[in-house]
Amino acid sequence: MVAFDKCETRPANIDAILNGLDRYNPETTTVFQDYVVQQCEDRTFDCYANLALLKLYQFNPHLTQPDTVTNVLVKALTVFPSPAFSLCLSLLPAHTQPFPTTQEAQAASQTSDFVESVQKLSRLSTLLESAQYTQFWSTLNSDDLYADLTADVAGFEELVRIRIAVEVGKAFRSITTESLEQWLDLRNREALEKFVTDVCGWKVDGTAVSVPTNKENEARSEVKSERVGVDMFGRVIRRGFEQTA
């Protein structure tokens, strides 16, 4: 699995901006915004470029485009459990945070559609990070706003399913199809088997799915031995024979 902060498909012009002084130039926001659109379309993710854009928004609030910010957050969801979402969220204004601390922030959070969007996406992130996959899909399907927020990100649901499967593969050697149906939101048996076999490379056997052994789910016994010599307790033994004053 490629690290979340690596992007092999980063265009040369974006790389040049990130490695030069232009990354602090407000005029480059349009370039980064177009690059976000590209990421949404071709299913790539460039964390450093997106963070650079959010930092520009932080320095130049008047340039902020809410739709671009939410697209960045949605893209970050597709690479959980990396810290990408938290890093992006930390660069947004205080009043957009899931738990505003000041009265001004709380007042602002109650009157902004943008803040509502950020907080809804934060809710999805929390569910994914805490492995509440069934609740994640239930929440995602519970409000049309979620569909609007993820509409620009091609293959969003599939990308999330792949990440969930990766995490499941780290923890299980065998799992029931019923559990996978809920965790992947694939209620159709044919669709589930196709995803499990074609995408994950796992084997379906009746009501169970077998996950190949990997370095994460392999059962390993750990034997610890301690070598304790008498000399290590020499001082304690000597004190036992010492006369009290």
Side-chain angles (χ1 to χ4, degrees):
M1 184 64 66
V2 179
F4 81 98
D5 56 348
K6 303 294 183 182
C7 184
E8 302 295 336
T9 60
R10 179 185 297 158
N13 67 315
I14 299 296
D15 194 59
I17 292 174
L18 291 175
N19 290 288
L21 295 178
D22 274 343
R23 69 178 298 164
Y24 304 106
N25 184 351
E27 295 181 359
T28 61
T29 55
T30 56
V31 178
F32 282 127
Q33 286 165 178
D34 291 340
Y35 186 37
V36 172
V37 173
Q38 179 182 332
Q39 293 175 58
C40 291
E41 293 175 348
D42 59 20
R43 304 190 183 190
T44 58
F45 179 73
D46 194 333
C47 185
Y48 282 164
N50 295 344
L51 290 174
L53 174 59
L54 295 181
K55 177 62 71 173
L56 284 171
Y57 285 160
Q58 192 178 53
F59 290 150
N60 308 275
H62 63 285
L63 297 177
T64 301
Q65 290 193 356
D67 289 345
T68 300
V69 175
T70 54
N71 282 341
V72 167
L73 293 177
V74 173
K75 287 296 297 181
L77 288 175
T78 65
V79 294
F80 92 95
S82 76
F85 189 91
S86 297
L87 290 172
C88 293
L89 189 65
S90 68
L91 293 177
L92 300 186
H95 69 271
T96 66
Q97 303 304 313
F99 304 102
T101 55
T102 67
Q103 291 184 348
E104 292 183 2
Q106 292 174 358
S109 66
Q110 296 173 359
T111 59
S112 171
D113 292 338
F114 172 57
V115 173
E116 180 185 4
S117 298
V118 172
Q119 295 186 0
K120 281 185 173 294
L121 293 176
S122 297
R123 171 60 176 165
L124 293 182
S125 177
T126 298
L127 292 173
L128 288 175
E129 293 289 346
S130 56
Q132 299 183 61
Y133 304 134
T134 303
Q135 185 64 26
F136 165 81
W137 294 111
S138 175
T139 302
L140 182 67
N141 297 325
S142 67
D143 193 332
D144 290 340
L145 179 57
Y146 286 115
D148 294 337
L149 291 173
T150 60
D152 292 338
V153 179
F156 171 75
E157 293 187 0
E158 181 181 358
L159 291 171
V160 172
R161 285 192 181 100
I162 292 174
R163 297 300 302 188
I164 291 176
V166 170
E167 295 307 302
V168 170
K170 293 178 181 179
F172 293 88
R173 290 285 302 279
S174 178
I175 187 172
T176 64
T177 55
E178 181 181 2
S179 295
L180 274 183
E181 287 175 356
Q182 297 176 4
W183 292 352
L184 300 176
D185 196 37
L186 292 173
R187 309 292 176 168
N188 181 280
R189 179 59 182 265
E190 183 178 350
L192 176 67
E193 291 188 5
K194 180 176 177 60
F195 180 86
V196 166
T197 56
D198 295 351
V199 179
C200 303
W202 300 345
K203 182 179 179 181
V204 180
D205 184 12
T207 59
V209 176
S210 299
V211 181
T213 302
N214 57 64
K215 65 179 182 180
E216 300 291 343
N217 68 9
E218 182 180 9
R220 296 188 296 270
S221 59
E222 185 176 358
V223 179
K224 293 185 178 181
S225 60
E226 297 183 2
R227 300 180 61 182
V228 181
V230 176
D231 57 310
M232 298 176 62
F233 296 94
R235 183 178 179 183
V236 177
I237 295 174
R238 287 195 302 270
R239 290 292 297 273
F241 290 95
E242 290 178 357
Q243 296 293 331
T244 58

